[in-house]
Amino acid sequence: MYLSIIDRPRGNHPHRGMRGTVAAVGANVLALGVVSLLTDVSAEMVTAVLPLYFVLTLHLSPAAYGLMDGLYTGATALLRLVGGYAADRLHRRKAVAGIGYGISAAAKLGLLAAGSSVPALGAVIVADRAGKGLRTAPRDALITLSVPEPLLGRAFGIHRAMDSMGAFAGPLAALGVLAAVGTTTQAAFGALFLTSFCVAATGLLALALLARDRHDGRCAAASAAVDLRRAGALLRSAAVRRLLYAAGLLGLITIGDGFVYLLLMRRQSMPTGWFPLMAVGTNLVYLLLAAPLGAVADRYGRRTVLLAGYGALLAVYLLLCSPLSGAVPTMAALGCYGAFYAATDGVLMALAGPLLPPGLRTTALACVQTVQALAYFASSLAFGFVWSGWGSAVATGAAAGGVVLATAATAVLLPVRTDHGADV
């Protein structure tokens, strides 16, 4: 298997400009983008205020918040493997994704019932992320099966751009709900959670009506042979192992949005009601850059764009460590943070897709996402405990050093394509 094949597709493609790119990726990618847009409005309405809810309303320590944040992203990572394997085994990617979307929607109501109970909140968060774990790999596998390989970067760029539209609108919706209620009490958060559920239910309906399952011919022929032995055999591929290592490094250097925004807010003495605007700034940049960077990755190399994203994350951590304050450093940090996500999220999936056999593609993508999520869980826990024990400056400086090491390691793990397509 050649990483060079996926790093820089051969040849030039006629799809130029945003209109041509949208037409090229097709209706199914756009339908999945609509589902993700609505789901992310719902999710980001909650995600944008969770740091406030946990730290300022429930008075959790940074270490306790780190645990909650880690649970929110990483604790149910193994369910990604369950969802991926079930989708390949049953050959029903849309159905498995729909179950995941439904669980996440129901969890928004669970936040209402949990109240201020930290164990109950933890259980609801695990349920919400269980839904995400089940749906992500089947959805991304559908994207890889909906377009030709040379257009994968563009397809994931368009999808992630639509996803980030929801991530952009979600914090604004949360801000609107809190402004309409006029407080940041538990009652106000209850109204927000109920609104989030209604939007999530609309996304689930859109999946049922608009998206279509895609069946690659090779995938259909191999579906009957999908079993645990064949799934485990994926790890014998050196290229797949390198990809998993790279995904783990990406998770380890990502400390989490909530920590970044809390640090920026503390430096700005920002009113708590405006906290969701931090996520708005990040997601606006993500929205603007996701599709263009996907096209750049297809044309000039997905590895190159991925490493550039690491550089953007390093800039964020250095800004957080610096004595600079004010609107300009804050906007620069948010801009770099959005660029980091735009250069890594969909690009990593586009890089991974062609490495993986069609019959086990969902399972393999789930492996990549699981490794990344588990690494993120460890990173969030570690950052929270270091902040509590030694202060935020030490924690952020350590994170910056981790990015430098991860960039060098990833450059070795994912070599540049040679002119002769050397095997890696």
Side-chain angles (χ1 to χ4, degrees):
M1 189 63 66
Y2 291 84
L3 276 176
S4 59
I5 295 174
I6 59 174
D7 186 50
R8 186 176 299 176
R10 294 186 178 93
N12 295 321
H13 306 290
H15 307 292
R16 297 288 185 260
M18 182 57 67
R19 181 176 298 178
T21 297
V22 171
V25 301
N28 210 46
V29 172
L30 296 180
L32 293 168
V34 170
V35 176
S36 291
L37 189 158
L38 292 168
T39 302
D40 242 39
V41 169
S42 169
E44 290 299 322
M45 286 182 69
V46 174
T47 302
V49 300
L50 277 183
L52 282 179
Y53 189 53
F54 289 152
V55 176
L56 300 182
T57 302
L58 302 183
H59 306 293
L60 298 184
S61 69
Y65 171 69
L67 175 62
M68 286 292 185
D69 188 57
L71 285 173
Y72 195 75
T73 301
T76 59
L78 294 179
L79 279 172
R80 297 171 187 261
L81 295 176
V82 174
Y85 180 76
D88 282 335
R89 180 76 175 177
L90 302 175
H91 211 35
R92 295 289 184 270
R93 295 176 179 85
K94 177 181 170 180
V96 174
I99 293 171
Y101 281 113
I103 292 173
S104 293
K108 304 305 186 296
L109 294 180
L111 288 170
L112 280 171
S116 60
S117 169
V118 173
L121 286 169
V124 172
I125 286 173
V126 168
D128 180 66
R129 295 301 88 181
K132 182 175 177 63
L134 287 173
R135 73 178 183 253
T136 302
R139 181 203 65 201
D140 284 350
L142 281 174
I143 294 173
T144 69
L145 295 171
S146 297
V147 297
E149 184 274 328
L151 293 177
L152 279 178
R154 292 169 173 83
F156 276 102
I158 290 291
H159 176 269
R160 294 315 197 250
M162 297 181 72
D163 185 86
S164 61
M165 287 180 192
F168 173 74
L172 291 177
L175 188 63
V177 171
L178 294 179
V181 176
T183 66
T184 54
T185 62
Q186 282 188 245
F189 285 112
L192 188 148
F193 297 150
L194 181 59
T195 305
S196 173
F197 164 75
C198 293
V199 178
T202 304
L204 184 61
L205 181 63
L207 176 72
L209 297 179
L210 301 178
R212 297 289 181 268
D213 234 331
R214 292 291 184 183
H215 305 292
D216 186 283
R218 294 165 297 166
C219 192
S223 62
V226 172
D227 55 33
L228 291 175
R229 182 185 58 81
R230 288 193 64 223
L234 288 169
L235 299 179
R236 291 202 289 268
S237 166
V240 171
R241 289 200 305 271
R242 291 183 180 188
L243 184 64
L244 293 176
Y245 296 148
L249 289 172
L250 179 59
L252 284 174
I253 63 175
T254 308
I255 66 172
D257 300 357
F259 283 124
V260 172
Y261 301 153
L262 285 171
L263 289 169
L264 288 173
M265 187 186 75
R266 190 173 66 171
R267 293 172 56 166
Q268 297 299 318
S269 299
M270 178 184 297
T272 58
W274 291 96
F275 183 84
L277 288 179
M278 297 283 191
V280 170
T282 297
N283 291 319
L284 176 60
V285 176
Y286 188 178
L287 166 62
L288 295 175
L289 293 182
L293 285 180
V296 169
D298 281 342
R299 185 168 178 80
Y300 297 106
R302 293 160 191 163
R303 169 190 179 273
T304 301
V305 174
L306 186 73
L307 293 177
Y310 285 28
L313 184 63
L314 177 61
V316 174
Y317 294 160
L318 292 178
L319 285 169
L320 292 176
C321 291
S322 75
L324 300 175
S325 62
V328 173
T330 298
M331 288 189 293
L334 295 176
C336 289
Y337 205 39
F340 158 69
Y341 279 124
T344 57
D345 185 14
V347 172
L348 179 63
M349 293 298 100
L351 192 149
L355 268 179
L356 311 172
L360 287 168
R361 183 162 296 176
T362 317
T363 303
L365 285 176
C367 288
V368 174
Q369 294 162 357
T370 295
V371 169
Q372 184 179 353
L374 288 173
Y376 174 86
F377 178 59
S379 173
S380 187
L381 281 178
F383 190 87
F385 279 107
V386 173
W387 182 351
S388 294
W390 292 278
S392 60
V394 173
T396 310
V403 173
V404 175
L405 294 176
T407 302
T410 302
V412 174
L413 288 168
L414 306 178
V416 178
R417 172 188 184 273
T418 67
D419 290 336
H420 302 289
D423 196 340
V424 300

